[in-house]
Amino acid sequence: MESVFEKLWRIGAAAFVLKAIVAAVAGDLLLLGFILLRRTYRKRYFARRDARAFRFRQQWDALISGEIPYDTWREKSFDRRIVETMVLDALEAANPKESARLLGFLRLSGLIDKRIFEARHHRGWRRWRALVALGRTRAPEGITALAEGLRDRRMDTRMASLRGLGRMACPEAASEILTWVGEAGLVVPALPLQSALIPCCAEKPQLLLPYLQHAAGPVREMLGRVLGEVATASLGTDLLQFAEDPLDELRAAAARAMPHAQPRLAVEILSQLAQDSVWFVRLRAIVSLGKLGHSDSIPVLLKGTADSNRLVRLRAAEALVDFKTGQISIFEQVVALQDRYGLHAYLTALENAGLRANLETDIKAVKNMKPAQKAVLIEVLQKGTPTVEQPAQTETVTSDMAMPS
Amino acid sequence: MIWFLDTANHTLFWYYVVCNLSYLIMLLIALKTSAAHQRRLESHRLSWIKDTPLAPPITIIVPAHNEDKSIRVSIRSLLELDYPEMEVIAVNDGSTDRTLAEMQEEFKLRRVMSLYIPQVHSAPVRALYRSDADPRLVVLDKDPGGSKADAVNAGLNAATSPYVCVVDADSILERDALLRIMVPVLADPKRVVCAGGIVRVLNGSEIEGGRLRKVRLPRKSIEVIQVVEYLRAFLIGREAWAQGNMLMIISGAFGVFRTDLIRKIGGYRASAIGEDIDLVARLHRHLREQGADYHIQFVPDPVCWTEVPSDLRSLGRQRARWQKGLLDVLWPNRDMLFRPRYGRIGFFALPYLWIFEFFAPIIELGGIATIALAAWLGVLSREFFIQFLIFGYAFATVISIGSVLQEELTYKRYSDWQDVFRLVSYCFLEHFPYRQLHMIWRLQGIVQYLRGDVRWRPMKRQGLESAGTP
C-alpha cells in the first residue's frame, strides 16, 4: 500500500492544491461563522442572565426565606445556576448567622442534594464544577461525596475534590484527605494538597502526627510543610522528634513550627538547625529565631549574617534589627564580624525598617563608649564599609533543584 | 536553468505546505490545551495563592534605559500588583534622560546601603535607592552596560527572592498577572523552573493611573497587524511548544525564573542580541546536561501589555534585531542539533527554528524571485501559480483567524464588535505586502549579523500614557 507521501507525489502538486484551496477557504468560512455565531449567542445569553439575576436580587429575602416556592426556579437549570451562584457568593462574605441561614436555604431547596448527586454521578467538567460548588457550601454532608472524588482516576476530578475539601476547612475533611494520601500516596501536585490541608488541619494539627510518623518520601515532606504552617503550642514536645529527621524538608518544617514550642527549648533546637548543611533549613531556623526574639539567639543570628546564602544573611539581619533593645551592641558585633556582605545585609534591614537614623542618633547619645569607637561605628554606618575589607563569599546552594519549602 | 527553477518552485511549495501544516497542528494543540486550561480555571480560585503562606516571594526586575516617558506609570502599576510578597528593583541603566529624576520625584527615593553581591557580571553600580513612598521599591543606578541583559544582571545581584520576574519598563502587567503566572510554579515547584506569560499590544488601549482602563485595538494598520501576529505567536505557537516542553523563548517583556538557576548559569549574556531567547536556550542546555527533570511553562492568561512600534522604520529595526537575536542563539547552540543528550530540543525545537524561522526569509524571498523568473521565462504554469497563491493565502488566513478564534474562545479581551471585525479583516490583509516586507526586514537582520553589525538601533516610542491613548 502506498504511503501518504507517495500518493501526494503521484497526484502532483496541482491536484493537491485545488483540493487544499477548497479546504482552506472552507476553513476560513467556518472559523468566521463560528466566531460570529458564538459572539451573538453569548451577547444574548449574558443579557438574559443579568436581567434574571437582577430580578432575583430584588426578591432576595423572599427567595432565601422560601416565600418564593422553590419549584418556581429550581426546575429551570438557567435560574437554578443563577440562584446557586448568588447564594455561594453571599456565603463567602457572610457572618455565622447569615451563613447558617444560607446553608439552611441550600439544604431546604435541595441544591446541596443535587450537587451531591452530580458529584457522584456526572462525569468530566460537570462533575468538577459540582465538586467545587459542594465545597463552597461547607455543608458537612458533602464530605463523603468529595472524598469519593479523591479516588477518581482523573487528575482533574481529584484536584476539584481537593479544592472542595479545602474549602470545607474542618477536621473531618482533613481526615478524609489524610486517609486518601495514606492509601494512594502523592497522586496530585503537592501545593494544592498542602493548600487544602492547611485550613482543614488548622483547628486540630495533631491529626497530622500519626500520618507523619508512618509516611515516607515526598508525602512526608509535604505533610512536614503543612505541619510547619499549622503547628501551635498544643503540639508541644511532639515537634522535637522532627528536628533531627533525616529529611531536609521535615527539619525545615520543624524549624518553622518551633516558635510555638517552649522558648528556651526552641532557641536551643533552632540554634542547632541554624547550623544545618541545607540552606533552607538554616533559613527557616533563622526566621523562627527572629520570631522568638529571644536574646540568647543573637550569637546565632550574627553568625547567620555571614552565611553562604544571601537569603539566610538577609533574614538573620532582619531578625537582628527586630530586637527592640541593644541595637548598638548588635551593630558593634556585626562590624566586628568584618564581613562586608553581612554588614550590607544588616544595613539593608536597618534601612528597610527605617531605623538607620535612629541608630546613628543612639550611637551619638551613648555615654559609656569611647569617642574613637563611636566615630568608627558612625563611619561604618554612613559609608557601609567595614574597617578592614574581606573577600566576598560566594553563595552556594546545596542542590541545583533545591528550593525553600 | 529550467530544471533549477522547477526544483526551486517545488521546494518552495512543499516548504510552504509543511510550514502551514505545522502551524495547523500547533493551532489544534493550542485549542485543546487552552480549552482544558479554561475548564480548570472555572474550578480554581486565584485568591488562595494570594492568601497562602506558601507563595514564595518574587523580585520584579525592571531594566530601564531612557524610559522617562513610561517609567512612572510602569512602576506604579507594578507596585499595585496582587501578590503576597514582592519587591520591585528598577535598574536605571545609565539613562541620559530624566528616568532617574522621574523616579526620584514620583517615589521619593533616598540613597541606601543595600545588599548587592556581584554574583553575575554587570557594569558597576553607582548607587542604590529605596523609596520612601513604597519600601518595596529599590532603584539601582548603574553605569550604562550597553544591553538590557547587563541591567537585568545588576538587578539579579540585588534580588533577594527565590524567584525573579523580568518586566520591560514600557510594559504594564494586569493586576493578577503574577498570581496567574505563578500557578504552574506553585503546582510543581521542583520541576517548573520558569514560566512565561502572554504579551499583548498596548497601543490604542486606554490607561489611567498605571492601570489599563479599556482594551481597544490600535488605529494604525501596522499596529493592528502586530496584534494578529502577537496572538498567533503566543496563543498558538508558545502554547503548543510549551505542551511538549520545547518552549524556546520566554518573552523578555514578562517571565518568571528561579533566581538560583539563572545565577548558576551566569545570568543573562550581556552580549546577546536576543537576551530572552538566549537565556531560555542556555537554561535548556544546562538542565539537559545535568539530566534534570524540568519544565518550562507558558501560561496564556497572565497578561503583559506592551507598546509596539507604530512606524515602519522602528518595526523594521525591531524585526531585524529579532532575527539577529535568533541567529545569535542558533549558531552558538548548533552543537545541540540532533544529539540525544539534548532530547526533543535538539531533535525538534532547534531544527524547527532553523528551518521555519531562520531560513524563512531566505526561502520565501528566494521563492518569490524564482517564481518571477520562471514566469518571465515562460516555464511556470500560470494555472498552478494562481492556485498556489490562493492556497497559500487561504491556508495562512486559517491560521490567523484560528488565533483570533482562540482569543474569542478563551480570553476575549477585545469585546467591541468593531474591534473583532477589524481584527478579522487584518487576518486577510496582512499577507500582502506586509508579509513580504517583514521577510525583507528579517533578511536585513541576517545580513547585518553576518556583517558583524550588532548595533542597537533606537526605536521611536510614545511612552505608556500616550501609547495607550486611542
Side-chain angles (χ1 to χ4, degrees), chain A residues 34-87:
Chain A
F34 185 76
I35 290 173
L36 292 176
L37 282 174
R38 190 170 179 275
R39 277 217 154 214
T40 313
Y41 170 76
R42 281 171 65 90
K43 193 180 171 188
R44 287 188 182 171
Y45 173 83
F46 286 118
R48 217 175 117 221
R49 194 193 66 174
D50 290 349
R52 203 82 188 112
F54 182 67
R55 269 192 65 189
F56 282 128
R57 182 67 66 196
Q58 284 179 317
Q59 303 169 317
W60 183 246
D61 283 324
L63 185 79
I64 300 297
S65 63
E67 271 176 52
I68 298 176
Y70 299 132
D71 291 346
T72 56
W73 54 266
R74 223 179 70 113
E75 303 299 321
K76 299 170 198 158
S77 65
F78 182 73
D79 287 353
R80 191 176 63 241
R81 277 205 301 272
I82 293 171
V83 172
E84 189 193 46
T85 308
M86 288 167 79
V87 175

Side-chain angles (χ1 to χ4, degrees), chain B residues 37-56:
Chain B
H37 184 71
Q38 285 299 108
R39 289 270 178 246
R40 247 174 245 131
L41 282 180
E42 276 181 18
S43 63
H44 195 89
R45 297 175 82 80
L46 287 175
S47 57
W48 71 259
I49 301 181
K50 207 172 151 189
D51 302 331
T52 180
L54 302 165

Side-chain angles (χ1 to χ4, degrees), chain A residues 39 310-311 351-352 400, chain B residues 110 130 157 160 258 414:
Chain A
R39 277 217 154 214
R310 76 164 73 198
L311 285 176
E351 287 282 359
N352 293 350
D400 189 23
Chain B
R110 72 190 149 86
R130 190 171 284 273
N157 288 330
T160 60
R258 250 183 46 196
Y414 299 102

Side-chain angles (χ1 to χ4, degrees), chain A residues 182-205:
Chain A
E183 290 166 10
L186 204 57
V187 289
V188 288
L191 201 98
L193 187 53
Q194 285 165 227
S195 300
L197 275 172
I198 289 170
C200 293
C201 295
E203 198 181 310
K204 222 173 164 185

